[in-house]
Structure formats: C-alpha cells, structure tokens
Amino acid sequence: MATIGERVVSLRKRSGMSQAELAAISGVSASLIRKLEQGSRSDVRLETARKIAAALRVPTTAIFTDHATDEADAETIDRWQAVRRALHGLGDQPEEAPTVDGLRAALDASMPLWKDDRYAELATTVPKLLTDADMLAAADRSTRFLRVRVLHLTGWLLTQTRQFEAAELALRRGIDEADDRLEAAAIVSTRCWLLLRQGRLDEARQLAMAWADDVEPRISRATPRELSAWGWLLLRSSAASVRDNRPGEAEDAIRLARTAAVAISRDISPDDDFLRTFGPITVAMKRAENAMVEDRPDLVLRMSQAIPADDLLPTSNNRNRHLLDVADAHRRTRQYGEAFEVLRRIRQDSPEWIVTQGYAKDILKGVIAGRRTLTGDMRDLADFVRLDY
C-alpha cells in the first residue's frame, strides 16, 4: 500500500507541478512536502492534507492511506484507564446494588462535569456510572435507556480525549442498544465526529447522510428532537465534505441544517441533553468552521461578529471550538495579540479542555513565530498547554 508521501509524489507529478509550485499553491512549506515525499515524515495533520489535496484538485481521502492514529498520550491514557476497564465490564463492583432512581440522580448530578469539561472529576465519576448502568441493564432490560445515555456520554468524552478505539466501542454499543431512533441518530452524530477526528472523511460523510436521509422530518410538523437529530447529521456531513474538498456538498448540507435551525428558531437542548443542543447559533458556528477549513480568515472574523460570545452559546465544547477558529483567523491575518487574547480566554473558561487541543497549540505556535518577543502571559500559556517549541 502506498504511503502518504508516495501518493503526494504521484498526484503532484500527474498534475505537472514541482514541489515548489505545490508549496506555493497549497500554502504548505516546501520542506514539509519534501520530507513527506522522501519518507522522513510519515504523518500529516488533516488540515495540512486538505491544503495539499485542494492544490492538487483531489479529495483529501486521495492522500490518506488509512485513518489517523493520533491517539492520546501515555499520561492521558493512564488517567482514563478506570473508564476503559468499566467500559469492558471490569469495573469495581459496588457494595450495594444500584437503583434506577439512584443512577438517575447520579447522572443528573454529573451533568455540570460533562458540560464544563471537568476531566479530572469525570475520570473518577464515569467508571461508577458505567458499572451501575451495566448492573441495572443486566437485571432489567427496561433500564437500558440509562445505559445508552451513559455510553453516549462516555463515547463523546473518549473522543474528546483522543481515545478513539475505546470511544468507538462505547458509541457502537450505544447505537446497538438504543430503542429510540432519534436517540440512536444523536449517537451516530457523535460517531461521525469521531470519524472526522480520525480523518475518516468519506466514512463520516456517508454515515451522516445515510442517517440524515433516514430521519429527515417533515419540517412543518417536526419536533425539536427531530430537527436536532437531522440538523446535527447534516452538520457532520458538511464538516466531512468541506475537509474532503467537496465544497458543493458541504454547502448543500449546511444549507439544509440551517433550514432545520430556522424551524427551531433558537438554540435548544431536546430532552435537556446538551449533546443535542442545536439551533441558529450552532449552525452559524459551523459555517464559520467551514470557512476556516477553506482558509478564509477574513470571512471567519466577519461571521464571528454576528455570533454571541457569551455563555449563552450552545455548549462549552462547541463554543470553544468556534473561538479557536476565531483565534486562528486573527493569527492568519497577523493579529497576534487578538489571537492570544482569545486563547487566554479559553484557558480561563476551560483549562482542562484547551490542554487536549492540538489546534490550540498550533495557533499558539503561530503567534509565537509571528512575534519578536513574548510577554510573560504568552510564555505562561505555552508552558500550561505543554507546547513543544
């Protein structure tokens, strides 16, 4: 099987480009392209691959030979070991048998931890939730809906912390056990996000569109649950398409998502489930994200002016992801101070989240490279996110 570098060489030669021309058109450094082609670099970030593919006028998936394997580091894997053990049914058994009311109460009490990305506390809470949910479902199948909910949350968390294999297990189990079609669709949406993070763009796009076609509602009669499920699947399809250099498909999907958002009229969380929060602001943020993928920072900054920048935004995760796009747009337009201020705000609001974000580190590297001297706050943030200079 051809390596990434071999595919780049082949596609570049077929296009009639030199390495220097490919670098100039794609915006990727000639040294990186040379290292890829020579085999001294065997990996590349999804965004870099997209730029090279766009310059060569091929789908991004024409460059990838397999999905990304950028899993969590050893420290992160160790932190979440108890969660993975519980997911495999190896968690510590409680002294007293769990009850439905008890698990409901524990799950409700844990919600602030999920919403605010409080990973240290979740690392001790989630194993207990998984074990209790398993015990209840084994004794009474009618309680499986609680296990489905816990599995969805766990899969989302593991995806966020780049533990992709375990996340796949949790999400597949949740989809298989879900009795409610819209509940299953919400979990599928999260699985599409997992596929996106792995670089499995074509799989994500096809899975999202297949389910979107299946759950498409009649807009005039649709409930918020139906609109959220359909809308999120369309957003995942759009995200996969734009990264795979399919701009027409990306725009079609996000236009339909906007139709669903307008029908809802405001961002809401069906069934009080923050993972399903959907509405006009969510779609606006994803439009900005697509523009950033297409390397249109000026457009991102204009679009961000119409997006509220306070805690009324849909979820901390989506809000922070949008703010990273804003920070990167500032960086790419050489507004380094503004870019840093956005990163500093994210650290203040979500310190555990920003440490896990390779995107945030890349932006900060760009800020540092663009400045002659660094402030003490900049050096402090670089140390905090463990930036490798």
Side-chain angles (χ1 to χ4, degrees):
M1 180 180 293
T3 65
I4 292 176
E6 289 169 341
R7 290 192 175 195
V8 171
V9 171
S10 176
L11 291 166
R12 177 177 62 75
K13 288 182 176 179
R14 284 162 55 187
S15 70
M17 290 187 198
S18 66
Q19 288 182 344
E21 288 170 333
L22 177 56
I25 295 172
S26 67
V28 176
S29 70
S31 64
L32 176 55
I33 291 173
R34 183 170 59 254
K35 288 176 182 178
L36 284 172
E37 293 192 0
Q38 291 174 346
S40 58
R41 275 285 298 271
S42 59
D43 64 325
V44 65
R45 290 182 62 83
L46 176 59
E47 176 57 21
T48 302
R50 192 205 68 82
K51 290 180 179 179
I52 295 172
L56 294 169
R57 298 187 177 182
V58 298
T60 308
T61 43
I63 290 178
F64 280 119
T65 56
D66 198 358
H67 62 77
T69 57
D70 184 17
E71 291 268 3
D73 57 29
E75 181 180 341
T76 300
I77 290 173
D78 183 63
R79 167 188 273 192
W80 299 102
Q81 182 178 10
V83 174
R84 293 193 304 277
R85 285 181 55 82
L87 185 60
H88 285 276
L90 301 174
D92 295 333
Q93 300 298 303
E95 294 182 3
E96 297 182 7
T99 64
V100 172
D101 289 342
L103 180 55
R104 281 182 185 273
L107 194 53
D108 289 344
S110 74
M111 280 301 108
L113 308 183
W114 305 93
K115 293 178 180 179
D116 297 334
D117 303 298
R118 288 153 62 179
Y119 298 150
E121 292 169 88
L122 284 171
T124 60
T125 301
V126 175
K128 299 174 185 177
L129 293 174
L130 283 167
T131 300
D132 285 359
D134 279 348
M135 292 183 67
L136 279 174
D140 183 355
R141 289 177 58 85
S142 68
T143 66
R144 285 197 311 176
F145 70 95
L146 284 171
R147 181 161 66 181
V148 169
R149 175 71 173 133
V150 174
L151 286 169
H152 187 189
L153 287 164
T154 301
W156 172 82
L157 176 65
L158 292 170
T159 300
Q160 183 65 261
T161 54
R162 306 196 72 83
Q163 299 173 87
F164 298 146
E165 185 176 345
E168 178 82 8
L169 173 62
L171 295 172
R172 281 188 176 276
R173 284 181 57 193
I175 295 167
D176 290 343
E177 294 189 19
D179 292 326
D180 183 287
R181 194 66 175 166
L182 296 180
E183 176 101 30
I187 305 174
V188 168
S189 172
T190 301
R191 182 164 181 256
C192 289
W193 176 46
L194 166 63
L195 294 172
L196 283 167
R197 298 205 79 183
Q198 292 177 293
R200 297 159 66 178
L201 304 180
D202 199 49
E203 287 182 69
R205 180 178 59 84
Q206 293 193 43
L207 179 64
M209 284 311 303
W211 275 76
D213 289 344
D214 185 59
V215 301
E216 181 178 359
R218 183 172 178 178
I219 297 294
S220 61
R221 299 180 180 178
T223 66
R225 292 182 80 233
E226 292 170 327
L227 292 168
S228 170
W230 185 52
W232 263 114
L233 289 164
L234 291 166
L235 289 178
R236 300 303 189 198
S237 175
S238 181
S241 296
V242 75
R243 286 164 173 80
D244 202 21
N245 297 319
R246 300 172 184 267
E249 292 181 38
E251 181 58 30
D252 288 345
I254 208 164
R255 187 180 68 250
L256 289 173
R258 187 174 183 276
T259 299
V262 169
I264 290 181
S265 78
R266 62 184 178 85
D267 283 70
I268 62 172
S269 302
D271 300 329
D272 198 28
D273 181 354
F274 76 97
L275 293 182
R276 300 190 210 180
T277 303
F278 180 79
I281 297 176
T282 296
V283 174
M285 289 192 298
K286 295 306 179 184
R287 275 191 176 277
E289 182 177 319
N290 282 5
M292 197 70 252
V293 171
E294 294 176 320
D295 200 16
R296 303 169 69 186
D298 291 337
L299 177 58
V300 172
L301 293 176
R302 289 199 302 272
M303 295 172 73
S304 70
Q305 296 302 309
I307 299 175
D310 54 31
D311 289 338
L312 296 178
L313 284 173
T315 67
S316 64
N317 184 263
N318 284 323
R319 177 193 67 214
N320 290 335
R321 179 58 178 78
H322 169 65
L323 290 176
L324 285 183
D325 285 329
V326 174
D328 199 24
H330 281 305
R331 178 190 68 83
R332 296 193 193 189
T333 53
R334 300 178 183 272
Q335 301 175 54
Y336 300 120
E338 290 86 345
F340 175 75
E341 284 304 310
V342 176
L343 293 176
R344 188 180 62 79
R345 172 189 168 184
I346 298 172
R347 175 193 173 176
Q348 179 179 336
D349 293 344
S350 304
E352 293 186 78
W353 183 85
I354 196 172
V355 173
T356 68
Q357 302 303 305
Y359 187 18
K361 295 178 184 180
D362 287 345
I363 296 168
L364 186 54
K365 282 183 180 179
V367 170
I368 290 173
R371 290 183 56 98
R372 297 181 63 181
T373 60
L374 301 183
T375 66
D377 286 345
M378 289 177 179
R379 292 193 296 271
D380 179 60
L381 180 58
D383 291 339
F384 182 78
V385 300
R386 307 166 193 169
L387 188 65
D388 180 6
Y389 290 95

